[in-house]
Every structure is written in structure tokens, then in C-alpha cells.
């Protein structure tokens, strides 16, 4: 069985500061890892994904994440956040094949303050 | 590309009525569609997986007679909440994927907020 743990339910940060949103996963098979962002009353938008290859993955809006197999982590980072980054962020895992079901973490609320 | 349209975006109805939510893939063929439920300030919980032309596979604890899913074509899946009650009020989100590209993640609709009075 697969599971995802997002260690922080809320992360407050000031504008232009760096941020890291933490995600750990558990799986007995190889996995695909994803980060999604959700703005209020909207669906999910894919920020980035790790399928294979380079462990540092760059996504949209200046976000990046690093896959660490030994620590079973996939933390999301941004060097300088904007007010518009305020949203809910979900880490997710799936088995090989994108059409397999996604298992989501509980989410992290990123609140960027001026 | 890869747009998923969900309709309606918001619906309010009386207790006891049935509500149908549509999920359409606009520019690709969705072999598989997923339906999620999200409570306020919580994560997405997978309700069911549907493959075109087949019966949906429901997750444990989800009432199949309560949440009817139809995936009659490669571009449309519907979720019908039958005899809805206030406890069914929630945010429902669909996603679509294609087996044509196994590296492609699911594409999500914008969700439907269902409020049962």
C-alpha cells in the first residue's frame, strides 16, 4: 500500500522569502510523485512531477522539488514566494502508469504575507 | 491542451433530490476517469474509478447505489448523487487520464460544490 505524509498543515511565510513544503511517502513499489496546487473553489493544477531520471524536478511558477529515495521524500521548494502563491498544496503518489489512482497527502496551506 | 470541464460548478438543491455532475475531457480521450470528494480544509478522497464502457470500481466505504457513475464515452463521465441529503454536501472533483500515455498524470476539472438544504 502507498501513503503520503505532508508534515506541515500550514506554512506561513513572508513575501520574497524562500519556502519548503515537506512530503514523505511510503511504497513497496516504484512510484511516480506529484505536487499539485489548489486555489479556492478550484480543481487541482499540476506543479511538477517525478517519473524517473534526474532527482531535481523543475515545475511551473518557479517551484522545484527533489526526489530523495533513501529518505523517501519529495519536498517542494521555491526560493522567493509571492502573495499569489497563497494556496493549498498537495503531494501525491501513484504507481507506475499515470492512469493509476493517485494517493494524496493531507495538504499544506501556504499563506504568504506582505 | 488536456482540458477537463466539470459542470455545474455550483449546485444547491433540496434534500431528497438527485443531482448529476458531468465531467468532460475536451481535447483528449479519457480512458479512465476518477471521482474525488473533498471536505473543507481536507484532502481529496478517491470515491471511484471508471473506465469507458465498464462498471465503476468504488473505494471502500463509498455507497455505489448512492453515487452512481456512468462512463459511456471516451469524453464523458457522470456522477449522480441519488436522494441527496445534507451530509452529501461537499466539493466533488473529477479527473481524467488516458492509457495512451502512461506518463501523463491525471487532468483535473475545476470541481463542483454541492450544497444540500
Amino acid at each position: 500500500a502507498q501513503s503520503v505524509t505532508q508534515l506541515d498543515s500550514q506554512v506561513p511565510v513572508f513575501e520574497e522569502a524562500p519556502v519548503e513544503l515537506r512530503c514523505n511517502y511510503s511504497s513497496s513499489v516504484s512510484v511516480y510523485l506529484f505536487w499539485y496546487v489548489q486555489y479556492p473553489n478550484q480543481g487541482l493544477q499540476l506543479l511538477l512531477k517525478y517519473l524517473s531520471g534526474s532527482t531535481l524536478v523543475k515545475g511551473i511558477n518557479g517551484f522545484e522539488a527533489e526526489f530523495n529515495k533513501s529518505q523517501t521524500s519529495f519536498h517542494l521548494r521555491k526560493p522567493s514566494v509571492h502573495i499569489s502563491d497563497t494556496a493549498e498544496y498537495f503531494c501525491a503518489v501513484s504507481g507506475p502508469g499515470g492512469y493509476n489512482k493517485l494517493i494524496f497527502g493531507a495538504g499544506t496551506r501556504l499563506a504568504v504575507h506582505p | 491542451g488536456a482540458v477537463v470541464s466539470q459542470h455545474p460548478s455550483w449546485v444547491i438543491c433540496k434534500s431528497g433530490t438527485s443531482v448529476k455532475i458531468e465531467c468532460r475531457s475536451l481535447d483528449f480521450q479519457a480512458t479512465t476517469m476518477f471521482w474525488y470528494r473533498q471536505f473543507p480544509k481536507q484532502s481529496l478522497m478517491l470515491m471511484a474509478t471508471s473506465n469507458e464502457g465498464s462498471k465503476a470500481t468504488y473505494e471502500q466505504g463509498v455507497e455505489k447505489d448512492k453515487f452512481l457513475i456512468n462512463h459511456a464515452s471516451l469524453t464523458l463521465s457522470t456522477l449522480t448523487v441519488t436522494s441527496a441529503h445534507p451530509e452529501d454536501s461537499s466539493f466533488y472533483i473529477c479527473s481524467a487520464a488516458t492509457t495512451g500515455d502512461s506518463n501523463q498524470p491525471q487532468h483535473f476539472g475545476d470541481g463542483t460544490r454541492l450544497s444540500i438544504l
Side-chain angles (χ1 to χ4, degrees):
Chain A
Q2 297 161 341
S3 66
V4 178
T5 302
Q6 290 183 244
L7 299 164
D8 306 296
S9 60
Q10 295 186 64
V11 173
V13 64
F14 287 110
E15 194 173 19
E16 297 183 5
V19 71
E20 177 180 83
L21 305 184
R22 296 181 293 169
C23 172
N24 286 88
Y25 70 94
S26 172
S27 177
S28 58
V29 299
S30 60
V31 295
Y32 290 178
L33 293 158
F34 308 88
W35 274 100
Y36 287 89
V37 60
Q38 183 181 35
Y39 299 101
N41 293 312
Q42 292 187 26
L44 273 67
Q45 180 181 8
L46 180 67
L47 279 177
L48 47 80
K49 61 182 184 283
Y50 172 79
L51 305 179
S52 64
S54 174
T55 57
L56 183 62
V57 180
K58 293 189 183 297
I60 62 171
N61 300 343
F63 284 94
E64 63 180 33
E66 186 159 17
F67 170 61
N68 188 319
K69 188 174 182 179
S70 62
Q71 297 186 6
T72 61
S73 67
F74 190 55
H75 301 332
L76 180 71
R77 302 185 183 98
K78 186 170 182 176
S80 176
V81 294
H82 302 288
I83 296 289
S84 58
D85 292 322
T86 295
E88 192 81 21
Y89 291 79
F90 293 98
C91 181
V93 63
S94 78
Y99 46 85
N100 284 349
K101 62 183 181 181
L102 288 166
I103 305 299
F104 286 91
T108 298
R109 171 74 177 171
L110 175 63
V112 181
H113 301 281
Chain B
V3 176
V4 174
S5 174
Q6 195 171 335
H7 179 79
S9 57
W10 198 301
V11 59
I12 302 173
C13 60
K14 293 181 179 180
S15 183
T17 58
S18 294
V19 179
K20 180 184 285 188
I21 302 169
E22 292 186 349
C23 181
R24 294 181 184 272
S25 57
L26 297 185
D27 50 4
F28 68 102
Q29 293 186 327
T31 312
T32 305
M33 287 188 170
F34 303 85
W35 287 95
Y36 297 86
R37 183 173 182 176
Q38 186 179 31
F39 292 101
K41 300 187 187 300
Q42 294 189 28
S43 188
L44 281 72
M45 290 179 51
L46 180 66
M47 298 174 66
T49 303
S50 72
N51 292 296
E52 185 264 338
S54 303
K55 287 186 178 180
T57 301
Y58 290 82
E59 295 298 302
Q60 190 173 8
V62 177
E63 300 175 61
K64 60 181 66 176
D65 295 331
K66 173 75 164 175
F67 300 99
L68 301 179
I69 292 172
N70 183 278
H71 191 168
S73 77
L74 286 171
T75 59
L76 174 64
S77 176
T78 60
L79 167 67
T80 301
V81 184
T82 62
S83 187
H85 290 95
E87 59 266 28
D88 298 322
S89 298
S90 192
F91 193 54
Y92 293 88
I93 304 175
C94 73
S95 72
T98 177
T99 54
D101 181 355
S102 61
N103 291 329
Q104 195 71 15
Q106 299 172 26
H107 303 282
F108 287 82
D110 278 340
T112 296
R113 184 157 303 283
L114 174 62
S115 297
I116 309 298
L117 304 179

